Amino acid sequence: FLSFFLSCLCLNPRPAHELLWSKMTAPSEDPFREAPLPKLAPALFRKRTGKDLDLVVPSVVEMYRPEWCTKYPLRTDDPHRARKLGNIGHISYHSIPKLQLKPSNPRAIALFGLALLWLFAYPTPLKLRTLMCASGYSLVESTFTLLERGRNYTSLAQFCCNLIYIPILLDLYFGFFLNSFSNFSGVPWGPVVAILAFPLNVWLLEVVQGYFIIWLYGHNVAWNYLDYDDSYFHGAARLGHAPCWVGLGAICWLLYPALQAWTEP
């Protein structure tokens, strides 16, 4: 898996900007440089520079700081680009441009199929865990974007994707390490390896969910790393978040078994 992931990084070293927008005239500056996290730890939040930054800033601003769009105008030829429609509490929801309620519409088929999967294939305890974890992560992401971008942001798109994907992210992943590793020389290698490798688990989630959201909405309405100089897969994943994902892995390893015990009969 690691060799596959690294080969993908080599095959796609930079986002395909042409999928997003054409020429723009914004100045070469990072509008998020005064946010708490980039200001506190700039080495962990390195941004692109020059024209590379100019090219991607408008889409990042569109998501996190729409009040700056007049200064950083997004130029796109797509009149049906997915737009934010409003909020349900702290969660943003967006239009789905090519969605039609027809049996032949692939987006309608995909959404209907995933809804049926969650409703009828997932047992009730698993439904409860996915709801609780997706809700909890929406609060974590909203807080993190406040510190990273200066404004709270989380999306219904990612919330729904997490409802489907959490069994892979947590149940399957932690179950593998519990069953595949044992104590050696007094060291519990299962938890150690699972926590240290958790960034790979999250990066896989970001790639899978990111491309599904791009296909569904036309662009990623859930998160945007395009302005970072270590982002890959059209801005779906970035290497610099690895310490955050290790911390999240440790928290999940400690708390998820209790949640499983509480939800299971």
Side-chain angles (χ1 to χ4, degrees):
F1 174 81
L2 179 59
S3 62
F4 167 77
F5 184 80
L6 292 176
S7 67
C8 289
L9 292 182
C10 295
L11 289 172
N12 188 11
R14 293 296 182 188
H17 301 133
E18 63 274 9
L19 295 180
L20 297 173
W21 49 84
S22 57
K23 294 180 181 180
M24 54 156 301
T25 57
S28 301
E29 62 179 18
D30 174 23
F32 304 100
R33 62 190 179 280
E34 295 299 323
L37 287 179
K39 194 173 182 178
L40 181 66
L44 294 179
F45 296 89
R46 300 190 315 274
K47 298 297 183 73
R48 300 181 187 275
T49 58
K51 292 182 179 180
D52 285 344
L53 182 63
D54 291 346
L55 195 61
V56 299
V57 159
S59 76
V60 184
V61 165
E62 178 195 33
M63 176 175 291
Y64 298 110
R65 302 302 296 264
E67 70 274 17
W68 294 347
C69 283
T70 53
K71 184 177 180 181
Y72 304 96
L74 181 67
R75 301 180 186 261
T76 175
D77 297 328
D78 184 6
H80 305 294
R81 181 176 172 84
R83 307 282 182 182
K84 178 181 174 180
L85 298 178
N87 286 77
I88 303 172
H90 65 290
I91 299 176
S92 302
Y93 62 94
H94 299 74
S95 61
I96 305 177
K98 296 182 181 180
L99 177 65
Q100 297 177 340
L101 299 180
K102 296 180 179 179
S104 59
N105 185 267
R107 288 165 178 79
I109 294 171
L111 292 177
F112 185 69
L114 290 172
L116 289 179
L117 174 68
W118 188 83
L119 286 171
F120 298 107
Y122 287 18
T124 300
L126 185 57
K127 286 192 187 76
L128 288 174
R129 292 201 297 275
T130 60
L131 278 170
M132 294 176 69
C133 289
S135 300
Y137 184 75
S138 74
L139 295 174
V140 170
E141 183 181 41
S142 182
T143 302
F144 187 82
T145 54
L146 174 64
L147 299 175
E148 182 193 24
R149 303 293 189 179
R151 178 69 60 85
N152 301 84
Y153 184 84
T154 190
S155 68
L156 185 63
Q158 185 171 17
F159 181 90
C160 293
C161 284
N162 285 341
L163 290 180
I164 301 297
Y165 200 92
I166 279 171
I168 299 173
L169 180 75
L170 298 179
D171 294 79
L172 202 62
Y173 179 79
F174 286 144
F176 169 78
F177 284 100
L178 282 173
N179 296 326
S180 303
F181 291 82
S182 58
N183 289 357
F184 181 75
S185 299
V187 179
W189 288 107
V192 172
V193 177
I195 291 170
L196 292 179
F198 202 73
L200 293 174
N201 191 24
V202 177
W203 287 330
L204 180 61
L205 173 150
E206 290 182 322
V207 171
V208 172
Q209 289 190 7
Y211 280 117
F212 176 77
I213 292 171
I214 290 173
W215 172 77
L216 183 64
Y217 287 89
H219 65 102
N220 194 337
V221 299
W223 66 91
N224 192 331
Y225 302 146
L226 282 172
D227 54 334
Y228 287 104
D229 68 358
D230 60 351
S231 66
Y232 298 89
F233 302 103
H234 301 93
R238 69 172 296 253
L239 302 181
H241 279 161
C244 301
W245 301 142
V246 170
L248 180 64
I251 293 171
C252 290
W253 181 272
L254 293 173
L255 298 183
Y256 199 66
L259 185 60
Q260 285 179 308
W262 183 75
T263 55
E264 293 289 345

